[in-house]
Structures are given as structure tokens and as C-alpha cells.
């Protein structure tokens, strides 16, 4: 059974930084692309960043230049470094793995394994 556990959320002021971590178990980690999604109140869940098996990355437009996604295949972890945070980044952030490990998608429906989420709040 796939388990994804996020950590690292919190409250930060505008312009600050946070580092989110996702620890994965129950899957052959190197076979999987891993994504970070976020969901703000009243909004749909959106893909923020994806890291593919080969290390290639995708970033949602507003995250480009501010967020960095990395993976450590020796520790089965994915990290999202978030810098220059803005109030509009406030959301619950989720780590997710797709149904098929090599699926490369920004659609939440293509992911069937989710962490419990971690709250990120950016104050103005």
C-alpha cells in the first residue's frame, strides 16, 4: 500500500521561504513521477510542480522561478523548496503519486495516492 507523508508546512510572512518534504513508501519509488498539488479554499486542486523519474521537472506558471522540486531516490523523498512566498500561495499542499508510475499529468484525477496534506499560510 502506497503511503505518502508530507511535512514542513507552516505560517510565514510574505517573501519568506518554506521547505516541504514528502516521504514515500509502499512503491518502487524510482518508477514514479511525483507531484505536489495545492488546494486553496473554494478552489480546485492544482498541480504546482512535478518531478519525473528522470529528474525532469514541471512548474505551474506562478511557481516558476520561486519553487524548486527535487527528489532523493536513496531516501524515497521529494522536496519542494518554496521561496518568495506570496499570500496567494496559501493552501493545503499535497504530495501525490499517479496510478501509473510514469504518468505525466497535471490532472488530479490521474493520481490515486495522496498524502494527508500540509497547511501553508502566507501572511501579508
Amino acid at each position: 500500500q502506497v503511503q505518502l507523508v508530507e511535512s514542513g508546512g507552516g505560517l510565514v510572512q510574505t517573501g519568506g521561504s518554506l521547505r516541504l518534504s514528502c516521504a514515500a513508501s509502499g512503491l518502487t519509488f524510482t518508477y514514479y513521477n511525483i507531484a505536489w498539488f495545492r488546494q486553496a479554499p473554494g478552489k480546485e486542486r492544482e498541480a504546482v510542480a512535478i518531478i519525473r523519474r528522470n529528474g525532469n521537472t514541471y512548474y505551474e506558471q506562478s511557481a516558476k522561478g520561486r519553487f524548486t522540486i527535487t527528489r532523493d531516490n536513496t531516501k524515497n523523498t521529494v522536496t519542494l523548496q518554496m521561496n518568495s512566498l506570496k499570500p496567494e500561495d496559501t493552501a493545503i499542499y499535497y504530495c501525490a503519486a499517479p496510478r501509473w508510475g510514469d504518468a505525466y499529468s497535471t490532472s488530479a484525477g490521474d493520481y490515486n495516492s495522496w498524502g494527508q496534506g500540509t497547511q501553508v499560510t502566507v501572511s501579508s
Side-chain angles (χ1 to χ4, degrees), residues 41-95:
K43 294 189 176 181
E44 292 190 356
R45 196 168 294 193
E46 64 172 354
V48 176
I50 304 169
I51 187 162
R52 304 186 72 169
R53 302 186 299 181
N54 63 3
N56 288 349
T57 57
Y58 157 88
Y59 295 98
E60 187 269 333
Q61 185 62 39
S62 71
K64 288 181 180 178
R66 300 188 300 127
F67 293 6
T68 303
I69 187 170
T70 57
R71 66 189 295 157
D72 185 338
N73 290 337
T74 67
K75 297 181 180 178
N76 287 10
T77 58
V78 174
T79 298
L80 184 67
Q81 177 68 42
M82 306 187 294
N83 299 328
S84 302
L85 284 161
K86 305 174 182 180
E88 50 264 45
D89 294 317
T90 295
I92 300 175
Y93 284 69
Y94 299 90
C95 176

Side-chain angles (χ1 to χ4, degrees), residues 102-119:
D102 62 352
Y104 182 57
S105 172
T106 59
S107 173
D110 290 327
Y111 294 78
N112 68 335
S113 296
W114 295 86
Q116 81 285 359
T118 185
Q119 177 71 48

